[in-house]
Amino acid sequence: MSADDGTDSSGSTDSGDSAAHPTHDPHEGLGARLNWLRAGVLGANDGIVSTAGLVVGVAGATDTQSTLLASGIAGLLAGSLSMASGEYVSVSTQRDTEKAALALERKELAESPEAEFEELVGLYRDKGLTETTARRVSQELTAHDALGAHAQTELGINPDDLANPWSAAIASFVAFSVGALLPLLAIVLPPHGWRVPVTVVSVLIALVATGWVSARLGRAAPGRAIARNVVGGALAMGITYLVGTLIGKVD
Ligand SMILES: [Zn+2]
């Protein structure tokens, strides 16, 4: 993963956030984009595993196609809506916290600009700049956008780009649904007798893929990530299938 998959950003990203850079980048950083991608893959993985567990469990009890379809669709919608609303709530809370912190910062800047300026100088000194450079940087940033400089250096947030609860909710809805679609189709489409094997095999293959991608995005070695992911999915399907079969025998 290097600079060549970015579009137009400034290339190297591993140097930490360069808050001392006096221009602000209107584009999201590569790191932020990778985080989104990683969240998407994890959301899809969630959709695959939970829906696979659900439909394989129901298939243990019944072979009626309409029942399998109904349970798959219900699982897809319940899971994706629950992920979306959970994400909406958590990102809204985060946003409220950030807004409150920004409001406090704005108030402090208005009431005691001198102290705030010294605070900024101190923060840049702590980052390793010399006194002279720290003052120079603080002067230029304060003249340009004092609140933005404090928000980024002190709070680590970009006031022009706060997390959006709606886009987070929609993204997790879509990611989960895309993942859930695989076991849903795999259980409904094959002929009688093939449903469970086709679903199990296609789900395990998909889990190899999502395990590999998320390990790569997190710069971890893929082997263990894939193994954990596949074992987790296999257990989910094995347990629900067993329970489904037992329940199917009751009536
Ligand atoms: Zn401050």
Side-chain angles (χ1 to χ4, degrees):
M1 210 60 45
S2 63
D4 62 24
D5 63 351
T7 47
D8 53 358
S9 55
S10 51
S12 75
T13 49
D14 274 352
S15 51
D17 57 345
S18 46
H21 207 273
T23 59
H24 50 212
D25 185 5
H27 302 283
E28 271 182 63
L30 182 59
R33 260 178 285 153
L34 285 180
N35 280 343
W36 270 89
L37 197 53
R38 191 140 173 258
V41 174
L42 292 176
N45 199 79
D46 234 2
I48 295 170
V49 174
S50 67
T51 310
L54 178 65
V55 295
V56 166
V58 174
T62 176
D63 194 49
T64 315
Q65 196 187 29
S66 59
T67 306
L68 290 169
L69 183 63
S71 65
I73 290 175
L76 182 151
L77 285 173
S80 54
L81 290 171
S82 134
M83 296 283 287
S85 63
E87 197 63 14
Y88 183 86
V89 168
S90 106
V91 173
S92 298
T93 306
Q94 183 197 336
R95 195 182 168 104
D96 291 346
T97 309
E98 291 176 346
K99 278 186 174 165
L102 282 173
L104 181 64
E105 199 61 42
R106 196 176 286 119
K107 183 167 171 278
E108 286 174 354
L109 277 167
E111 287 172 358
S112 43
E114 302 288 308
E116 285 296 308
F117 179 79
E118 290 307 322
E119 180 191 43
L120 197 58
V121 174
L123 289 167
Y124 284 118
R125 255 194 330 251
D126 293 346
K127 276 180 179 263
L129 299 185
T130 62
E131 180 69 28
T132 325
T133 318
R135 291 205 165 268
R136 177 100 195 267
V137 168
S138 304
Q139 268 157 8
E140 291 187 7
L141 286 181
T142 302
H144 174 63
D145 174 14
L147 182 64
H150 280 261
Q152 290 190 354
T153 317
E154 208 181 320
L155 310 170
I157 55 184
N158 180 354
D160 300 325
D161 190 25
L162 294 184
N164 182 337
W166 278 109
S167 54
I170 291 166
S172 49
F173 180 89
V174 171
F176 188 98
S177 302
V178 167
L181 218 45
L182 173 81
L184 171 59
L185 295 176
I187 204 80
V188 172
L189 296 181
H192 174 80
W194 283 92
R195 300 185 193 286
V196 172
V198 167
T199 305
V200 169
V201 170
S202 51
V203 162
L204 294 181
I205 292 171
L207 293 180
V208 169
T210 53
W212 186 82
V213 173
S214 61
R216 295 303 312 212
L217 291 174
R219 292 164 192 251
R224 279 164 178 254
I226 291 172
R228 278 192 287 259
N229 208 29
V230 169
V231 169
L235 274 175
M237 290 185 289
I239 292 168
T240 58
Y241 185 70
L242 185 70
V243 171
T245 310
L246 293 174
I247 293 172
K249 286 206 171 89
V250 170
D251 52 34

